[in-house]
Amino acid sequence: MDTTRKPHVVLGVTGGIAAYKACELLRLLQKGGAEVQVIMTRNACEFVNPLTFETLSGYPAITDTFDRPERWSVEHIALAKWADLFVIAPATANIMAKMASGIADDMLSTTVLATQAPVLIAPAMNSGMYLNPVTQRNMDDLRSLGVHFEDPSTGYLACGDTGVGKLAPVEAIAEHCFRLLHRCEDLAGLRVLVTAGPTREMLDPVRYISNRSSGKMGYAIAEAARDRGAEVVLLSGPVNLSTPSGVTLVPFTSTEDLLHAVLENAPGCDVIIQAAAPADYRPQAVAEQKIKKQGGEPFVLTMVENPDVAATIGRQKQPGQTFVGFAAETEKVLDHAAGKLLKKNLDLIVANDVTAPGAGFDVDTNIVTLISKDGQQALPLQSKRAVADAILDEVLRLRA
Ligand code: CTP
């Protein structure tokens, strides 16, 4: 991107009740210093008059209302090249389906297909449409092709339902846009190993013991490190998340699998971030056949301690390697975390009270305190992605 001029954003608006919020988004992008041009689908024009976007942006709003497809061939290439960033907000299930299949049958789908700029999608629709496996599959396909998403929130929807599908707050979409526009490559040349998600400790062929880790924090770190130019290896337990594009994924199941995968991949990595939630114990024996009911007798299970993966990495840490761990606590958070920093030979520990609202399992936000040997920094409630960037900033500071 030419940094001597204002960043260029093409804002695609599709037909949903949240289209009016795109006016506010346009304003926020301008306030942040961007120049914005708008493309509206025919349906979007039913919700907001193009004149509103024209007045706000200072450019003609590009629409399909005049049915002159011959215009597309000229304008779509010009705008596709003009964009430093393409954001579609709100994005309907329809535009995502078209993008996932390469369909270009109107000005917006044609231009986004032609652009080389990063693309950010902020979906908004009824929960049923959003959760439909076809929509989810299209989103997964787009993610794996490198398209960025600002996921919708849960709340009261225009259709009267309550559920997921509400356009993400425009402030969060704008913040995401600026992150993509000012993407720095400050981790270029570094190899980063991230572990994420829970382990499963098998009891018999059909049962296991696990924990509530969703893997979201580790995945956010892997994505942030990739976006900042690092080469990323992601060791992942069983999670319901799509593999971030451009990241090498190594799956694991049990804590012992994780230990082997870490020992194999850690040498040669500059930064190791142990965000996984390994089980501390595993059943002493894995039954070969499904365990049967005990005829009313209590079922007694003997568990043995698993290896402490972080402590093992800590002992084998090479000069020049930066090692980050997590401490998910329910009491005496900072004391326990500081103890683990020393015990596991970590350079940084990310402490969080998993009982605090907005922190912990399967949510998109977190509240953490970063503790290193030279001090601690309490961060406010923010998205897991913003926490990920703060952790990486701290890693760079410690390596400086
Ligand atoms: N950890 C690990 N291997 C284990 C247990 C934990 O690598 N068997 C790592 C976690 O990934 C985390 C850090 O150690 O980065 C702290 O994990 P936590 O569960 O908070 O601490 P524990 O050492 O398990 O201590 P306790 O459960 O007694 O609080």
Side-chain angles (χ1 to χ4, degrees):
M1 191 177 92
D2 174 0
T3 49
T4 58
R5 58 156 172 79
K6 287 182 167 187
H8 293 169
V9 178
V10 172
L11 169 60
V13 183
T14 65
I17 186 67
Y20 76 94
K21 294 187 183 166
C23 303
E24 187 56 29
L25 174 62
L26 191 161
R27 273 301 198 212
L28 289 175
L29 292 170
Q30 287 174 326
K31 271 192 204 151
E35 206 165 327
V36 186
Q37 292 204 54
V38 177
I39 306 180
M40 301 175 74
T41 60
R42 180 188 289 268
N43 286 340
C45 300
E46 302 287 333
F47 288 93
V48 181
N49 193 309
L51 189 60
T52 310
F53 286 111
E54 291 193 2
T55 313
L56 292 173
S57 70
Y59 284 96
I62 294 157
T63 64
D64 293 306
T65 47
F66 300 110
D67 279 328
R68 283 190 290 139
E70 68 280 2
R71 268 188 338 148
W72 302 353
S73 57
V74 190
E75 282 185 12
H76 84 273
I77 294 295
L79 261 187
K81 285 189 181 153
W82 184 84
D84 298 314
L85 174 71
F86 214 109
V87 52
I88 305 184
T92 54
N94 190 46
I95 185 71
M96 294 195 292
K98 287 206 248 179
M99 286 172 69
S101 327
I103 294 174
D105 64 351
D106 63 8
M107 193 60 193
L108 179 57
S109 52
T110 309
T111 313
V112 75
L113 188 64
T115 195
Q116 303 274 320
V119 178
L120 171 65
I121 293 182
M125 68 200 75
N126 158 272
S127 306
M129 294 173 76
Y130 181 72
L131 295 173
N132 188 301
V134 175
T135 307
Q136 291 294 317
R137 185 197 60 201
N138 289 334
M139 289 173 58
D140 281 349
D141 286 353
L142 290 168
R143 267 201 189 94
S144 68
L145 294 170
V147 170
H148 304 268
F149 277 84
E150 187 63 41
D151 292 329
S153 45
T154 299
Y156 180 68
L157 305 173
C159 55
D161 288 353
T162 300
V164 66
K166 201 173 154 67
L167 184 72
V170 282
E171 293 77 12
I173 304 172
E175 188 193 305
H176 201 153
C177 287
F178 288 114
R179 256 199 334 259
L180 291 170
L181 281 169
H182 303 304
R183 199 148 54 173
C184 53
E185 297 271 310
D186 55 1
L187 296 178
L190 292 183
R191 203 173 151 84
V192 176
L193 178 73
V194 184
T195 71
T199 60
R200 284 182 184 171
E201 310 296 334
M202 297 309 290
L203 233 71
D204 68 15
V206 293
R207 303 186 180 95
Y208 55 79
I209 293 175
S210 190
N211 59 62
R212 291 178 59 201
S213 167
S214 64
K216 285 184 175 175
M217 191 62 242
Y219 273 59
I221 297 172
E223 284 179 6
R226 171 206 63 194
D227 289 348
R228 293 168 68 160
E231 191 185 327
V232 180
V233 181
L234 173 61
L235 309 188
S236 176
V239 295
N240 272 323
L241 300 170
S242 357
T243 305
S245 60
V247 158
T248 305
L249 187 97
V250 180
F252 63 81
T253 306
S254 66
T255 298
E256 287 182 307
D257 292 345
L258 170 65
L259 178 65
H260 293 136
V262 165
L263 291 177
E264 201 174 313
N265 288 280
C269 284
D270 305 285
V271 180
I272 301 165
I273 303 181
Q274 170 78 332
D280 288 336
Y281 292 92
R282 66 178 185 279
Q284 187 169 36
V286 183
E288 266 179 38
Q289 305 300 334
K290 187 179 168 208
I291 301 169
K292 292 293 173 194
K293 279 201 283 285
Q294 310 291 304
E297 290 301 306
F299 175 65
V300 179
L301 179 66
T302 306
M303 309 273 283
V304 291
E305 200 169 319
N306 261 329
D308 188 318
V309 181
T312 312
I313 307 170
R315 280 193 296 274
Q316 304 192 0
K317 196 167 68 176
Q318 306 286 312
Q321 276 185 332
T322 310
F323 181 28
V324 181
F326 276 73
E329 306 289 349
T330 55
E331 52 156 7
K332 297 186 194 150
V333 178
L334 300 184
D335 286 353
H336 284 152
K340 288 173 190 174
L341 178 80
L342 297 178
K343 207 166 114 202
K344 303 192 189 213
N345 195 22
L346 296 157
D347 299 293
L348 179 68
I349 191 154
V350 184
N352 70 337
D353 176 351
V354 286
T355 62
F361 307 108
D362 219 12
V363 289
D364 295 316
T365 52
N366 212 348
I367 315 169
V368 303
T369 301
L370 305 183
I371 307 175
S372 60
K373 282 167 197 147
D374 63 359
Q376 63 185 52
Q377 187 191 348
L379 303 179
L381 172 73
Q382 50 191 340
S383 66
K384 284 190 171 166
R385 172 55 196 247
V387 172
D389 277 309
I391 294 168
L392 294 172
D393 289 346
E394 188 63 8
V395 164
L396 282 177
R397 188 188 70 77
L398 291 168
R399 291 178 65 82

